[in-house]
Amino acid sequence: MTTQIDRDFVRIDEGQVHYRAVGNVTSGTRPLVMIHASPASAYNLQPLMGKLGGLRDQPLYAPDTLGNGDSCKAQMDVPDIAYYADALGRQLDVLGIPEIDVYGTHTGGSIAMELAIQQPQRVRRVIIDGVGLYSDEEKADMLANYTPEITPDYEGRQFNWAWHFVRDQNFFFPWYKRDTEHQRKAGITNPDALNDTVVEVLKSITTYHHAYRAAFRYPKKDRLALVTQPTLMIYETSDPLHKYKDEALAAVQNCTDGALPDGAKVLDKATLISNWLDG
């Protein structure tokens, strides 16, 4: 068991994909593949990776999705979740990884379930950490307002926008509805983590929106019904997607409710995941 997180790249047709890893992902031991939420990168998975690495001998593989963090951009003009899942499968092919467990949070949850559907022979178990089963009205609103396309300019307005975009996600959901009805009560990320997340978003400021929009368009409820692997569904009470929990649990054939208590820490989540994978 180790908590050391290393960084490397794997090359696929689109270019280089950046990833973080705990342990040797090419050792022949089935890894846990971890797929991050939008809008940043696998940087935000590091606390959970560190705790899991201290609990398990299983290697961890956490790539930046295409067009996010330090990974190359997608080749499609309008990439969809099926494309992101296929790109992840091709990374695993290059690395020589035949079988995995997979964890995904928010956007990463959509990619995780789609990979499980596309490649059931490769995916043993699925962990989904928050997924939004948006109504048609919610979906249209998100697509129109959540992810504006940002272009750098001589005034540097992208820097100010990225800071407030990331910061306000701590205060409101959706972030652009800054009123009492949509206010979150969980508090704000510490300044260092907030700054680091903003830096990750700025790395991919012209492409960050693609994975978000793919997740908004993805027919999650219909696709969840096609996941046949044992699935752990995690919804933290502080997650704005928590309201979709019962509907998501009912949609999956072989699902375990990964309930976490109010105030749960990262170690609590890591312990839940580790115990379930070994069950």
Side-chain angles (χ1 to χ4, degrees):
M1 295 186 290
T2 177
T3 59
Q4 179 176 311
I5 299 174
D6 295 316
R7 300 172 65 181
D8 206 341
F9 290 87
V10 58
R11 181 175 290 280
I12 59 174
D13 290 344
E14 288 85 347
Q16 288 191 318
V17 176
H18 175 255
Y19 68 88
R20 289 171 170 82
V22 174
N24 183 0
V25 297
T26 62
S27 65
T29 300
R30 178 183 60 247
L32 173 62
V33 172
M34 304 181 69
I35 315 170
H36 64 86
S38 295
S41 71
Y43 164 83
N44 295 107
L45 290 176
Q46 289 184 125
L48 182 57
M49 293 176 73
K51 297 300 184 185
L52 281 168
L55 293 172
R56 304 182 61 75
D57 290 325
Q58 183 177 29
L60 308 176
Y61 174 77
D64 297 348
T65 55
L66 301 193
N68 291 107
D70 290 309
S71 285
C72 61
K73 66 181 182 180
Q75 286 187 343
M76 294 179 66
D77 291 336
V78 184
D80 56 17
I81 291 296
Y83 171 84
Y84 288 107
D86 175 75
L88 176 55
R90 288 186 280 120
Q91 296 165 44
L92 301 176
D93 289 341
V94 172
L95 292 168
I97 299 173
E99 184 183 40
I100 64 169
D101 297 316
V102 65
Y103 164 96
T105 178
H106 290 217
T107 298
S110 293
I111 298 171
M113 74 174 82
E114 184 60 30
L115 182 66
I117 296 166
Q118 287 184 8
Q119 301 186 21
Q121 76 288 350
R122 170 170 265 160
V123 179
R124 185 187 72 114
R125 289 194 168 203
V126 180
I127 303 162
I128 298 174
D129 189 352
V131 65
L133 304 184
Y134 305 117
S135 66
D136 290 342
E137 182 180 4
E138 288 174 318
K139 188 182 298 185
D141 184 64
M142 296 269 196
L143 285 168
N145 298 293
Y146 207 104
T147 57
E149 295 186 29
I150 304 298
T151 302
D153 60 36
Y154 286 117
E155 284 71 43
R157 283 175 288 192
Q158 70 274 13
F159 297 103
N160 186 57
W161 180 87
W163 178 265
H164 289 89
F165 170 62
V166 173
R167 187 201 65 176
D168 287 359
Q169 289 187 48
N170 291 262
F171 297 143
F172 305 99
F173 185 79
W175 67 271
Y176 52 88
K177 293 187 176 181
R178 301 180 179 96
D179 55 35
T180 302
E181 180 184 354
H182 297 91
Q183 188 172 358
R184 298 184 63 189
K185 306 297 192 297
I188 189 169
T189 304
N190 71 70
D192 288 338
L194 180 61
N195 177 78
D196 291 346
T197 299
V198 171
V199 170
E200 293 299 302
V201 174
L202 286 167
K203 288 178 181 179
S204 54
I205 195 67
T206 62
T207 55
Y208 86 98
H209 58 282
H210 288 304
Y212 255 135
R213 293 181 183 180
F216 292 148
R217 294 188 182 98
Y218 186 59
K220 300 177 185 68
K221 187 173 181 179
D222 292 341
R223 301 304 282 173
L224 277 172
L226 300 179
V227 176
T228 59
Q229 295 90 337
T231 301
L232 177 66
M233 190 74 68
I234 301 173
Y235 277 95
E236 296 184 71
T237 55
S238 60
D239 189 336
L241 303 185
H242 185 269
K243 65 179 181 178
Y244 304 106
K245 175 182 176 178
D246 291 342
E247 190 177 3
L249 284 169
V252 185
Q253 300 177 41
N254 184 3
C255 193
T256 298
D257 182 353
L260 286 168
D262 289 344
K265 305 298 184 184
V266 176
L267 180 58
D268 297 319
K269 182 183 290 188
T271 301
L272 170 67
I273 291 170
S274 184
N275 290 343
W276 182 79
L277 286 171
D278 291 336

